[in-house]
Amino acid sequence: AAKGFAVASPACGIASLYVAFDERRCGWFTFNDWHEASYDGFRHFVKSCREEAGTVLEFLTNVQLNCTEAEDTGGSGSPTNQAVGLTFSQFSTAAKKFGLSYQDRYDIFEAFQVTRVSGAGGKKASRIVPAEFGYLRQWDPDREVREARLWSAIS
């Protein structure tokens, strides 16, 4: 990967790579075509968030607020953790109630994590930031499933 796309380019051309994923010959391939198990877990996560909080963004923002409120130090009554985002532990605990497997929770976290350097020692802390999920308001996984069925029926 460090050498770029040219190294991965097959002798018969880039189109052959594309066609390998576009089995239905519909002109595109989806996340589901790429990795069905990950797609199913992510789709379930998104739908569960929408049922509980309206959007993934709202669900994760609520989880972050709850985690921040729980981190009270020294009896001051005000949260002192200024870190933005959720750790894997926080995210995993919140998403577990949706019936997602550990692997699904891990995969979702890994896909969206932001690694930040924090602290004097340059310690790295991976977190997911709720704002990064805002685009999912537009994603309609049910529509994708319907389109896939339609393309399968005509091909």
Side-chain angles (χ1 to χ4, degrees), residues 40-59:
D40 289 342
F42 190 62
R43 179 175 177 241
H44 179 75
F45 170 70
V46 170
K47 290 180 82 164
S48 297
C49 288
R50 287 176 178 169
E51 287 173 12
E52 180 166 314
T55 67
V56 175
L57 176 60
E58 284 298 314
F59 171 74

Side-chain angles (χ1 to χ4, degrees), residues 67-147:
C67 289
T68 302
E69 289 171 3
E71 294 174 354
D72 181 9
T73 63
S76 67
S78 60
T80 60
N81 181 7
Q82 298 301 319
V84 175
L86 298 167
T87 64
F88 174 71
S89 178
Q90 293 166 331
F91 170 76
S92 182
T93 299
K96 189 175 185 177
K97 67 181 166 188
F98 297 145
L100 293 167
S101 69
Y102 177 85
Q103 187 64 52
D104 285 338
R105 296 188 313 267
Y106 179 81
D107 289 346
I108 293 167
F109 185 87
E110 284 294 308
F112 288 95
Q113 73 173 325
V114 176
T115 302
R116 300 185 190 275
V117 177
S118 60
K123 182 181 176 186
K124 292 183 179 179
S126 294
R127 294 177 174 269
I128 56 172
V129 179
E132 296 293 325
F133 289 80
Y135 76 93
L136 288 172
R137 285 186 185 125
Q138 305 301 319
W139 186 48
D140 185 353
D142 293 330
R143 179 178 172 213
E144 283 187 9
V145 169
R146 287 189 304 271
E147 286 179 359

